[in-house]
Amino acid sequence: MSEKISKSLSIIKLGNPILRQSASLIENIEDKQIQKLIDDLITTVINANGVGIAAPQVAESQRLFIVASRPNPRYPKAPDMEPTAMINPKIIDHSPKIIKDWEGCLSIPGIRGLVPRYKWVTVQYIDRKGKLKHQKLVDFVARIFQHEHDHLDGIVFLDRVESTQELVSEEEYQRLQNNKT
Ligand code: ZN
């Protein structure tokens, strides 16, 4: 019955050592602080025009992230879905095929890079109600999952870019995208 007031949290940036830590498993999902963190992460990712955010990005080194794909100014072609909290997530299986596409990160503002990722992944996670979920994710949503899952192991997308030639500024990236259409 309590009133829910969620707030935008501040996002830590590359160079903050928390982004390089391996995050801890969450044991008590019903914990009020975890539920509050989920609400605040959802508000934070929406306000920042992100499509995903991991708890370590708000300096909470716990195995939790939000996947919140929807079209927005940073990702105009993103598919629309309800923001979903994924707790203690794992990749169970993946496509043999790897695809490169552009990624950005709220903790690395102003840069985009071409990142190789599996085309699809079968994943397992616990939802915010404590239910174990299995899902097959494809394309863009699979990419978000893999990006956020990396954050839980202290990995950022720059680590996966194959060449520094495949890094561009946000400004040039927007120009490239506009020229394509
Ligand atoms: Zn990120």
Side-chain angles (χ1 to χ4, degrees), residues 99-103 113-117 140 143 173 180:
I99 289 176
K100 271 198 211 176
D101 205 351
W102 294 101
E103 291 182 22
L114 264 183
V115 185
R117 300 282 186 193
F140 191 65
R143 178 169 294 277
Y173 169 79
K180 254 196 234 165

Side-chain angles (χ1 to χ4, degrees), residues 57 104-107 147-148 151:
Q57 293 182 271
C105 180
L106 295 172
S107 294
H147 176 118
E148 303 310 333
H151 275 304

Side-chain angles (χ1 to χ4, degrees), residues 4-5 49 73-74 92 98 103 107 110 118 132 140 156 178:
K4 258 197 215 163
I5 305 165
N49 286 323
R74 286 182 68 243
I92 305 294
I98 287 173
E103 291 182 22
S107 294
Y118 299 121
L132 182 66
F140 191 65
V156 298
N178 293 338

Side-chain angles (χ1 to χ4, degrees), residues 17-61:
I18 296 171
L19 282 178
R20 293 314 202 166
Q21 287 171 8
S22 183
S24 317
L25 280 171
I26 295 178
E27 305 203 340
N28 187 1
I29 289 152
E30 301 99 274
D31 188 296
K32 259 193 217 146
Q33 273 168 342
I34 294 293
Q35 292 293 326
K36 170 92 170 85
L37 177 59
I38 291 170
D39 290 332
D40 290 346
L41 281 169
I42 291 172
T43 302
T44 307
V45 73
I46 290 171
N47 289 346
N49 286 323
V51 289
I53 192 167
Q57 293 182 271
V58 298
E60 291 284 344
S61 195

